[in-house]
Amino acid sequence: MSEVLLQLKGLSVSYGPVEAVHQVDLEVRSGEIVTVIGPNGAGKTTLLSAAMGLLPSRGEIHLEGRRIARPGVEVMVAHGVGLVPEKRELFGEMSVEDNLLLGGFSRWRRGLRDQVQRMDEVFAIFPRLKERRAQMSSTLSGGERQMLAIGRALMARPRLLLLDEPSLGLAPLIVREVLQVVAGLRDLGVSVLLVEQNARAALKVADRAYVLEMGAVALSGSAKALLNDRRIIDTYLGMGHSAQAAAA
Ligand SMILES: Nc1ncnc2c1ncn2[C@@H]1O[C@H](COP(=O)(O)OP(=O)(O)OP(=O)(O)O)[C@@H](O)[C@H]1O
Ligand SMILES: [Mg+2]
């Protein structure tokens, strides 16, 4: 069995008196693409933010087998975890290139001066960003912005990338393109925890999946098994799936 990169044990997160994530157990192994699917408000973003140390949580967060006593963004980044947030948080008034360089800042601060090489790697993954390297990022299309957000996170050379709904607001063709890149990250040695509302697209690229409902894990298993699970088909995959199955 490959090494466990990230393990959440009984993770709970509250906003004031309201618990948004309840006792979640989850793990991502090295080389895995793991997805968390679930409806609006299920707690996906909350879970990801807590795993990144952006929100206080109860329970345990382990990275590479060691418990992180005080989860915080800096600690997570230092342990090779990267986040592409739901709101992307690009610097709109800055060029594509400068946004990427900022993504490499944590390495630069550690004395690692390989930003140009990292940027070439990102451009190899997203050639479209290379063509637009001087363009102001506020003028990029939705798909290009998503690529830039992922590219910026890759500049830090994470071992584990947390991705919050990369398909949000994108046309189906672009969703496929972006998720294909996500699938390809594995070959670059990057494991992925992918939060998605687009259950079908996510299950197609993932190895394993967790279904989050009202803050708790309702179901988990191999992505392939969940794609064929009656409950998942009825609740998350809808008509499109039956039509596809009929056509096949
Ligand atoms: N800052 C906050 N303060 C109070 N409640 C919050 C806050 N952020 C989220 N919540 C609540 O926590 C619950 C989970 O929200 P969360 O954003 O994690 O869901 P989600 O699964 O990411 O949804 P979506 O698919 O719409 O992005 C929701 O009921 C939401 O209203
Ligand atoms: Mg969300």
Side-chain angles (χ1 to χ4, degrees), residues 6-28:
L6 172 72
Q7 186 171 27
L8 308 180
K9 290 187 185 177
L11 203 79
S12 299
V13 187
S14 298
Y15 295 110
V18 183
E19 198 173 70
V21 166
H22 179 67
Q23 294 277 328
V24 167
D25 293 318
L26 176 152
E27 65 179 43
V28 182

Side-chain angles (χ1 to χ4, degrees), residues 95-98 119 123 129-135:
S95 67
V96 164
E97 197 166 56
D98 286 345
M119 192 141 59
F123 287 152
L129 291 183
K130 186 173 188 176
E131 292 165 21
R132 295 168 189 281
R133 61 196 297 167
Q135 192 172 324

Side-chain angles (χ1 to χ4, degrees), residues 45 86 164-165:
T45 296
E86 196 171 26
D164 198 349
E165 301 222 31

Side-chain angles (χ1 to χ4, degrees), residues 15 20 38-47 86 164-165 195 197 212:
Y15 295 110
N40 281 125
K44 304 181 299 296
T45 296
T46 303
L47 178 67
E86 196 171 26
D164 198 349
E165 301 222 31
V195 157
Q197 250 191 85
L212 201 64

Side-chain angles (χ1 to χ4, degrees), residues 82 169 173 182 197 217:
L173 213 61
V182 170
Q197 250 191 85
V217 175

Side-chain angles (χ1 to χ4, degrees), residues 10 23 32 58 90 92 123 131 164 168 179 181 213 221:
Q23 294 277 328
E32 265 193 325
R58 297 180 305 285
L90 298 171
F123 287 152
E131 292 165 21
D164 198 349
L168 197 70
L179 287 183
V181 166
E213 285 175 357

